[in-house]
């Protein structure tokens, strides 16, 4: 098993707190340190989109939230390897803002693998991913959060699986 969230995987997020990508940007999801994190801005739903750029078979997702800023009702959406990956031009942002064009484009071909319900703790949690076929994209949607304002804080994101 390898961590599929590492390069060459492209990571996109719905928002970044106060558009402060230097302090709270998506790069901190997969940097391997528990000292940094991605913070979303307020509002639900929030999401993380992983575009693997190749066909992969994930078996589990590991997330570490900040207690009080956890996902409450979450969902895995995937794009089959038979579908084309997102056009990189659609995924550009203005420094952490919403990626509406990319989301519109990707939502046409994403299918749900079901919901999962994290605990509101600051510990590493593991969630199984049941992919019947290889995929090219995995979208983790935080439909609701434990924060009153809908913010999510993630210190660790790992996706175990195989190429």
């Amino acid at each position: 098993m390898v961590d599929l969230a590492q390069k060459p995987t492209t990571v996109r997020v719905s928002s970044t707190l106060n558009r402060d990508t230097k302090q709270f940007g998506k790069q901190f999801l997969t940097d391997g340190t528990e000292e940094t994190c991605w913070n979303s801005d307020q509002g639900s739903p929030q999401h993380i989109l992983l575009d693997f750029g190749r066909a992969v078979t994930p078996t589990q997702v590991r997330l570490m939230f900040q207690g009080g800023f956890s996902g409450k009702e979450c969902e895995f959406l995937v794009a089959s390897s038979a579908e084309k990956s997102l056009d990189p031009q659609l995924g550009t942002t203005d420094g952490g803002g919403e990626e509406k064009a990319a989301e519109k484009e990707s939502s046409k071909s994403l299918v749900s693998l079901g919901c999962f319900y994290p605990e509101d703790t600051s510990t590493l949690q593991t969630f199984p991913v049941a992919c019947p076929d290889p995929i090219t994209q995995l979208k983790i949607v935080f439909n609701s959060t434990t924060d009153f304002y809908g913010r999510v804080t993630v210190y660790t994101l790992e996706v175990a699986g195989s190429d």
Side-chain angles (χ1 to χ4, degrees), residues 65 69-74 117-120 142 144-146 152:
F65 296 98
F69 296 89
S70 300
K72 190 173 180 180
E73 178 191 333
C74 307
Y117 305 90
E119 294 179 25
D120 187 15
F142 307 102
S144 63
T145 71
T146 57
V152 179

Side-chain angles (χ1 to χ4, degrees), residues 5 9-15 26 29-30 38 46-52 75-79 85-87 90-91 99 101-107 109-110 135-142 157 159:
T9 298
T10 301
V11 178
R12 296 181 178 95
V13 296
S14 51
S15 65
K26 63 187 178 185
L29 285 167
T30 58
W38 165 66
Q46 297 290 336
H47 72 262
I48 300 168
L49 176 66
L50 301 164
D51 189 338
F52 301 108
E75 184 176 16
F76 291 129
L77 301 173
V78 297
S85 290
L86 282 178
D87 180 337
L90 295 175
E99 299 170 320
E103 189 171 343
K104 275 185 189 177
E105 185 66 23
S106 67
S107 64
S109 59
L110 295 177
I135 64 168
T136 56
Q137 295 177 340
L138 172 65
K139 186 174 186 179
I140 305 166
V141 181
F142 307 102
L157 169 63
V159 181

Side-chain angles (χ1 to χ4, degrees), residues 22-163:
K22 288 185 180 187
Q23 188 171 358
F24 303 116
K26 63 187 178 185
Q27 69 273 18
F28 299 123
L29 285 167
T30 58
D31 68 354
T33 178
E34 295 178 8
E35 302 298 317
T36 59
C37 63
W38 165 66
N39 273 26
S40 76
D41 219 337
Q42 64 185 14
S44 291
Q46 297 290 336
H47 72 262
I48 300 168
L49 176 66
L50 301 164
D51 189 338
F52 301 108
R54 64 199 187 282
V56 299
T57 305
T59 56
Q60 65 183 16
V61 170
R62 295 168 45 118
L63 292 164
M64 183 172 18
F65 296 98
Q66 177 178 328
F69 296 89
S70 300
K72 190 173 180 180
E73 178 191 333
C74 307
E75 184 176 16
F76 291 129
L77 301 173
V78 297
S80 163
S81 62
E83 298 287 330
K84 187 177 180 186
S85 290
L86 282 178
D87 180 337
Q89 296 303 313
L90 295 175
T92 57
T93 66
D94 58 357
E98 296 176 349
E99 299 170 320
K100 300 210 184 281
E103 189 171 343
K104 275 185 189 177
E105 185 66 23
S106 67
S107 64
K108 295 176 188 173
S109 59
L110 295 177
V111 296
S112 177
L113 291 182
C115 293
F116 64 100
Y117 305 90
E119 294 179 25
D120 187 15
T121 66
S122 298
T123 59
L124 192 60
Q125 301 177 60
T126 301
F127 306 98
V129 179
C131 286
D133 299 309
I135 64 168
T136 56
Q137 295 177 340
L138 172 65
K139 186 174 186 179
I140 305 166
V141 181
F142 307 102
N143 291 313
S144 63
T145 71
T146 57
D147 176 54
F148 179 78
Y149 297 103
R151 295 170 294 191
V152 179
T153 302
V154 179
Y155 283 87
T156 302
L157 169 63
E158 299 170 351
V159 181
S162 59
D163 286 318

